[in-house]
Amino acid sequence: MPNNTNTNGDRVAIVAGLRTPFLKQGTGFRDMTTVQLSAAVVAELVERTGVPPETFTLCVFGQVMPTLDYINLAREVVLRTSLPASTVAWSVTQACVTSVQALTTGIESIEHGDHDAAIVGGADSMDDLPLGVSRRLTRTLMALQKAKTPMARLKLLGKVKAKDVVPPMPGYSVEPTTGLSMGAHCEQMIKDNGISREWQDDIAYQSHSRAARAWSEGFYDDQVMPVAAPPYKDAYREDNIVRKDSKRDEYAKLKPSFDRKHGSVTPANASPLTDGASALVIMRESKAKALGLEPLGYLRSWEYTAVDPQWQLLIGPVLAVPKALDKAGLTLQDMDIVEMHEAFAAQVASTLQAMASKQFCEEHLGLGEPIGEIDPAILNVNGGSIAIGHPFGATGARILLQGLKELKRRQKQFGLMTICAGGAMGVAAVLEVA
Ligand SMILES: CC(C)(COP(=O)(O)OP(=O)(O)OC[C@H]1O[C@@H](n2cnc3c(N)ncnc32)[C@H](O)[C@@H]1OP(=O)(O)O)[C@@H](O)C(=O)NCCC(=O)NCCS
């Protein structure tokens, strides 16, 4: 049975969505914080939708890279936009799946009868990384606050060593229980699954070519808002990672980033570190109708999965796909498009290969048949995270929005979306435009 339904058939609709441009770390948004990007997109989305702000009694938002500046991003968003102070707000996190988690949490709250309408989404700025201090330095700083005499303070400071002031790297770079970076895990998957460099570069090239074409066709125009960032000379209107003149032969020339000797993950076939925010408006179908709004579509079903990080860190979505399809009462053949998050091209290749493999599906899913092959012609037809970028918390809502828009453009009904996530998690969901 689909997740998104209730006894009187009043589903929760996705009514509108918007995102900021996705900009490469260290470029246009380097002086903006995650909360500023989040508030900018929510404020603009509420205004564009024309729904009275007090309609939104819930805001669920998420970021993957935490900050020390506040404890609840969603609430900070409410307090920085036209949403009323009475809007309750909580933050969620599930690595790269974060804004899908925000959406399904929002849908469940509405289904449960607690709310009629909500704003959901996510954001991340890789330019707003709060670097911490080492544990030894933390202890010294805490002790300093309690030290009663200048001499006691001097004594404590005298104990600080050079290595104590080197900040530890933020958590996105290493999977805590394995000690390996995402890129290193991806290299392991490449070896386990025998994924060629050529296939990876083909996927990456296609991501850029299709994203560039989509931008030139105006596909993204109403999905991406202009954002004026300090020093406010101009507004950023487009993603700045997409290569308009990408050349396939240049991909093969790049050196691997994570395993310099034997690896094949390069800056071109990995998603880059990115700044951005995305948000969606969701509400009860009947409420949308009453407000004269036409739904963009629905999340018909979803399934979250988790596997052992020591195995294949980014393979989770393969295990989720058959369950999400089952809940939707549909098969892979019913899918008109597929939106697959591209953490790395090799993870996309591994997912496609595993879904088509009888052996993998038998061994790991207990299925008698493979899930099936995905026609490359319907996969990430407007580009994916490699070309568009991947501000972790914002990616899910970006994928949902463009998936629904593409289904509508094609006048088709169903789409599959998958996202892998740190911690060896993943989600698969079925989008529906009806
Ligand atoms: C892979 C990674 C390390 C690369 O970082 P980087 O070395 O700073 O990458 P850059 O953008 O500077 O690119 C390096 C070079 O490759 C080139 N390049 C990148 N993409 C290219 C493409 N599509 N075609 C041709 N050249 C390309 C750049 O122009 C640059 O060339 P230059 O050195 O001559 O200027 C970084 O993007 C990363 O860490 N990504 C993974 C993030 C991650 O773990 N995500 C989690 C997934 S869930």
Side-chain angles (χ1 to χ4, degrees):
M1 169 147 153
N3 307 65
N4 183 4
T5 187
N6 69 13
T7 41
N8 55 20
D10 196 6
R11 295 174 294 175
V12 180
I14 299 169
V15 164
L18 193 65
R19 67 176 174 91
T20 67
F22 285 2
L23 302 190
K24 194 172 177 197
Q25 178 191 40
T27 63
F29 292 156
R30 71 183 158 267
D31 293 322
M32 286 188 82
T33 60
T34 302
V35 69
Q36 285 173 329
L37 288 167
S38 308
V41 79
V42 170
E44 179 78 12
L45 179 59
V46 173
E47 172 140 358
R48 284 192 191 190
T49 317
V51 173
E54 54 280 9
T55 312
F56 301 107
T57 51
L58 170 68
C59 174
V60 190
F61 231 75
Q63 69 187 108
V64 176
M65 294 314 303
T67 177
L68 302 173
D69 298 339
Y70 46 81
I71 51 171
N72 182 354
L73 172 66
R75 184 62 182 155
E76 295 307 313
V77 167
V78 168
L79 298 175
R80 285 165 170 75
T81 58
S82 61
L83 294 174
S86 56
T87 302
V88 294
W90 58 81
S91 301
V92 294
T93 177
Q94 200 192 142
C96 305
V97 169
T98 290
S99 46
V100 181
Q101 180 67 64
L103 171 63
T104 61
T105 305
I107 290 175
E108 283 162 352
S109 295
I110 294 175
E111 275 180 349
H112 193 249
D114 297 336
H115 300 276
D116 282 339
I119 299 285
V120 300
D124 263 294
S125 168
M126 300 308 284
D127 284 299
D128 183 23
L129 295 177
L131 289 180
V133 296
S134 67
R135 285 192 200 287
R136 271 181 61 97
L137 188 55
T138 306
R139 272 201 298 275
T140 307
L141 293 172
M142 307 282 272
L144 267 178
Q145 285 184 351
K146 289 186 187 150
K148 294 208 165 65
T149 64
M151 197 44 118
R153 282 185 208 113
L154 269 178
K155 215 170 150 191
L156 280 166
L157 284 171
K159 285 186 187 156
V160 175
K161 300 201 171 81
K163 67 172 186 202
D164 298 342
V165 294
V166 177
M169 282 307 287
Y172 77 87
S173 53
V174 168
E175 186 65 26
T177 56
T178 65
L180 296 179
S181 68
M182 285 269 176
H185 272 286
C186 190
E187 289 289 2
Q188 267 189 357
M189 287 176 69
I190 288 167
K191 289 178 187 83
D192 290 350
N193 301 325
I195 306 296
S196 70
R197 165 79 182 262
E198 204 184 354
W199 191 6
Q200 293 173 59
D201 286 349
D202 282 345
I203 290 169
Y205 174 65
Q206 184 158 291
S207 185
H208 278 280
S209 315
R210 290 182 173 182
R213 194 212 55 232
W215 266 109
S216 71
E217 286 171 357
F219 173 71
Y220 286 116
D221 288 357
D222 67 350
Q223 298 172 47
V224 179
M225 63 179 279
V227 176
Y232 304 107
K233 286 197 182 128
D234 201 1
Y236 293 89
R237 288 164 202 283
E238 286 192 16
D239 305 322
N240 73 357
I241 297 159
V242 179
R243 289 180 177 241
K244 293 187 176 138
D245 55 350
S246 181
K247 295 186 184 60
R248 176 64 181 82
D249 59 334
E250 285 177 6
Y251 287 67
K253 292 180 196 156
L254 294 174
K255 299 242 178 318
S257 299
F258 299 97
D259 176 352
R260 299 198 74 81
K261 234 176 172 178
H262 306 293
S264 53
V265 177
T266 69
N269 63 38
S271 60
L273 300 173
T274 312
D275 304 337
S278 320
L280 302 167
V281 167
I282 60 172
M283 62 180 71
R284 210 177 276 290
E285 220 172 10
S286 54
K287 179 96 185 167
K289 215 172 170 187
L291 289 166
L293 297 166
E294 193 198 334
L296 276 177
Y298 307 84
L299 201 62
R300 183 179 169 98
S301 69
W302 59 88
E303 177 77 18
Y304 294 103
T305 47
V307 302
D308 184 346
Q310 302 287 351
W311 183 41
Q312 298 200 24
L313 191 84
L314 306 173
I315 207 75
V318 179
L319 283 73
V321 167
K323 292 183 179 160
L325 288 170
D326 244 25
K327 284 182 183 173
L330 298 166
T331 67
L332 192 59
Q333 287 68 43
D334 295 316
M335 297 299 113
D336 298 303
I337 56 164
V338 177
E339 290 283 342
M340 189 176 288
H341 166 50
E342 302 166 342
F344 299 92
Q347 151 267 319
V348 172
S350 298
T351 303
L352 296 175
Q353 186 166 285
M355 283 175 66
S357 158
K358 189 166 190 315
Q359 192 188 344
F360 185 99
C361 293
E362 243 171 41
E363 270 176 32
H364 300 291
L365 289 144
L367 298 176
E369 293 296 324
I371 303 167
E373 290 196 15
I374 292 174
D375 178 359
I378 62 160
L379 175 65
N380 293 347
V381 294
N382 295 299
S385 302
I386 288 173
I388 296 166
H390 177 33
F392 309 131
T395 288
R398 187 270 298 164
I399 289 178
L400 286 157
L401 175 61
Q402 72 185 61
L404 290 174
K405 288 270 185 183
E406 181 60 28
L407 282 172
K408 210 148 222 183
R409 176 161 83 160
R410 290 179 179 222
Q411 297 186 309
K412 296 286 186 188
Q413 195 174 5
F414 297 117
L416 176 69
M417 66 148 262
T418 68
I419 304 181
C420 60
M425 313 263 297
V427 69
V430 174
L431 315 183
E432 178 174 9
V433 168

